[in-house]
């Protein structure tokens, strides 16, 4: 199973909502949402997963944004709490030194059992495992997300483990991405099962950095993953290619920058085996924007790159990546 970790920005939420509404992902994909604010988009996304009977993990004590501060006074609070009671919304908790008190309180308020929760361990929380084992002495969480660290794996054998790893090599500026050069992205989809893991998790093509605001970039960069055969693994790994605009001397004319990046994507599709496997819904939408000469805006470009990655992993997990297709 793949657990894409999303920071709850609007384009993140719309991406997974559209994927589930369009039936482009199935039970192999279980998103993790760290909400940054309570919004109508968050509510509609959660509702889409409930209505399609797909699981989604929702963090209740996020480390970013203003979610916790505004929650109980928000006009959507009651609707939000009702959604939390649904079994397809998996209440998720960042483990900390207060969890021995917070976790029972969560289950009481939302009427769920402790074993129905998901727990996330941070890298520097290895010393808190005795507290964790005190809480889960007789039951284990539905999902336990741990850092990609051997120390956690050794001490938590027998749990429903999911390893979280940052695969995306984020650059400070879009102009810093290597133009027309692709690079290795991930192979966790090949090994998680044999390593005794329930699933694998990453921050997709967004990365683990979080910032409150955005700014007009000098360059537009599209980050597109694809499958390529790897001799060392004797199987298909994920690689990533960056399509970067050319007119990057200033922030003017983002529509031109978008067209330049999309043109490179369109040209690249002729150099690979471009069939129904690679041609995800998001890729079709990106190419449609190029052919129409339309500029959908940066959030939409990011949303489509994210949708493409998640749908592509789902295709692999369904067993549909074969030599015949590639």
């Amino acid at each position: 199973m793949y657990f894409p970790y999303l920071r709850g920005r609007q384009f993140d939420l719309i991406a997974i909502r559209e994927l589930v509404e369009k039936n482009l992902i199935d039970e192999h994909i279980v998103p993790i949402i760290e909400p940054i604010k309570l919004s109508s988009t968050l509510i509609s996304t959660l509702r889409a997963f409930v209505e399609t009977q797909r699981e989604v993990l929702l963090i209740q004590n996020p480390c970013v944004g203003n979610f916790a501060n505004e929650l109980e006074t928000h006009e959507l609070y009651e609707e939000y709490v009702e959604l939390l009671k649904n079994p397809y919304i998996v209440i998720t908790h960042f483990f900390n030194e207060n969890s021995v008190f917070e976790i029972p309180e969560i289950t009481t308020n939302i009427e769920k059992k402790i074993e129905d929760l998901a727990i996330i361990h941070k890298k520097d929380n290895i010393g808190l495992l005795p507290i964790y084992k005190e809480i889960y002495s007789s039951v284990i969480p539905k999902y336990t997300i741990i850092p990609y660290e051997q120390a956690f794996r050794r001490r938590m054998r027998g749990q429903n483990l999911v390893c979280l790893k940052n695969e995306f090599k984020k650059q400070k500026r879009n102009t810093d991405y290597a133009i027309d050069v692709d690079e290795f992205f991930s192979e966790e989809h090949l090994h998680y099962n044999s390593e005794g893991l329930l699933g694998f998790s990453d921050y997709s093509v967004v990365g683990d950095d979080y910032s409150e605001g955005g700014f007009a970039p000098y360059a537009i960069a599209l980050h597109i993953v694809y499958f390529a055969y790897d001799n060392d693994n004797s199987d298909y790994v994920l690689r990533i290619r960056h399509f970067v605009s050319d007119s990057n001397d200033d922030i003017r004319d983002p529509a031109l920058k978008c067209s330049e990046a999309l043109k490179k994507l369109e040209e690249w599709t002729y150099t690979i085996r471009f069939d129904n496997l690679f041609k995800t819904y998001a890729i079709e939408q990106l190419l449609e924007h190029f052919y129409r000469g339309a500029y959908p805006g940066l959030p939409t470009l990011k949303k489509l790159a994210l949708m493409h990655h998640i749908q592509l992993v789902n295709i692999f997990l369904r067993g549909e990546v074969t030599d015949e297709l590639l």
Side-chain angles (χ1 to χ4, degrees):
M1 298 168 68
Y2 175 45
F3 294 73
Y5 192 107
L6 310 172
R7 280 277 164 60
R9 299 177 182 88
Q10 187 175 29
F11 74 84
D12 294 338
L13 298 173
I14 295 174
I16 57 172
R17 188 184 71 196
E18 290 188 6
L19 284 169
V20 76
E21 287 177 341
K22 297 178 184 298
N23 198 31
L24 298 174
I25 56 175
D26 54 29
E27 68 276 3
H28 294 99
I29 307 296
V30 183
I32 304 170
I33 299 175
E34 182 178 6
I36 58 177
K37 64 179 179 179
L38 182 53
S39 66
S40 59
T41 305
L42 176 62
I43 294 294
S44 63
T45 301
L46 297 177
R47 191 182 297 116
F49 276 82
V50 169
E51 291 173 353
T52 55
Q53 299 184 348
R54 302 293 184 205
E55 280 192 334
V56 59
L57 275 58
L58 184 64
I59 297 172
Q60 292 302 290
N61 56 342
C63 299
V64 298
N66 295 316
F67 181 79
N69 296 330
E70 67 177 16
L71 187 58
E72 293 189 9
T73 60
H74 201 284
E75 60 182 3
L76 295 172
Y77 177 69
E78 291 185 6
E79 185 176 1
Y80 171 77
V81 172
E82 283 302 309
L83 281 167
L84 293 185
K85 297 176 182 178
N86 192 280
Y88 292 103
I89 309 298
V90 180
I91 302 304
T92 305
H93 178 78
F94 271 122
F95 203 80
N96 59 69
E97 62 275 6
N98 297 315
S99 292
V100 69
F101 306 108
E102 293 174 349
I103 289 178
E105 183 180 357
I106 291 172
T107 58
T108 300
N109 291 341
I110 307 176
E111 303 172 4
K112 291 194 177 184
K113 297 179 180 179
I114 289 181
E115 57 264 38
D116 292 330
L117 304 184
I119 299 297
I120 301 180
H121 291 276
K122 295 183 180 180
K123 187 176 181 179
D124 56 357
N125 278 9
I126 193 77
L128 297 178
L129 290 188
I131 301 177
Y132 169 82
K133 291 179 179 180
E134 177 185 345
I135 298 173
Y136 289 99
S137 58
S138 58
V139 296
I140 60 175
K142 187 167 190 176
Y143 305 112
T144 300
I145 295 89
I146 61 174
Y148 197 79
E149 301 283 338
Q150 191 61 38
F152 276 92
R153 295 199 201 191
R154 283 198 302 263
R155 299 187 191 189
M156 303 185 73
R157 290 191 179 95
Q159 305 282 316
N160 296 322
L161 296 183
V162 176
C163 266
L164 172 60
K165 185 180 181 182
N166 184 31
E167 304 281 13
F168 185 64
K169 299 175 183 176
K170 191 175 181 66
Q171 302 295 330
K172 290 183 178 180
R173 304 170 303 175
N174 284 342
T175 51
D176 294 333
Y177 289 103
I179 299 175
D180 296 330
V181 174
D182 66 54
E183 57 188 343
F184 175 82
F185 185 77
S186 175
E187 61 184 14
E188 298 309 309
H189 56 284
L190 300 177
H191 305 301
Y192 78 96
N193 219 340
S194 62
E195 294 175 352
L197 301 172
L198 188 65
F200 62 101
S201 177
D202 59 39
Y203 299 90
S204 187
V205 294
V206 180
D208 64 349
D209 292 339
Y210 173 77
S211 60
E212 291 287 348
F215 55 89
Y218 278 72
I220 285 180
L222 286 173
H223 312 292
I224 303 298
V225 297
Y226 69 100
F227 281 111
Y229 191 81
D230 179 76
N231 290 324
D232 292 337
N233 284 283
S234 299
D235 211 326
Y236 292 97
V237 300
L238 275 174
R239 297 185 65 82
I240 187 167
R241 194 172 183 91
H242 312 286
F243 302 93
V244 184
S245 58
D246 297 313
S247 54
N248 304 328
D249 293 332
D250 52 49
I251 64 173
R252 292 181 297 177
D253 206 346
L256 174 61
K257 299 178 193 295
C258 174
S259 178
E260 292 169 346
L262 289 177
K263 180 173 176 30
K264 293 178 180 181
L265 171 64
E266 193 264 350
E267 291 173 345
W268 181 63
T269 62
Y270 291 104
T271 69
I272 62 172
R273 296 287 298 279
F274 187 61
D275 52 26
N276 289 334
L277 174 66
F278 178 78
K279 200 173 184 180
T280 59
Y281 168 82
I283 291 296
E284 290 179 334
Q285 291 299 301
L286 287 168
L287 294 178
E288 180 65 20
H289 288 310
F290 172 69
Y291 295 137
R292 291 193 296 109
Y295 174 51
L298 283 176
T300 297
L301 294 177
K302 293 178 180 179
K303 179 199 75 170
L304 291 171
L306 179 62
M307 290 178 67
H308 167 70
H309 176 207
I310 295 174
Q311 185 185 356
L312 199 63
V313 173
N314 192 78
I315 290 170
F316 179 90
L317 295 177
R318 286 205 310 253
E320 297 179 10
V321 177
T322 65
D323 291 338
E324 289 75 18
L325 287 175
L326 288 171

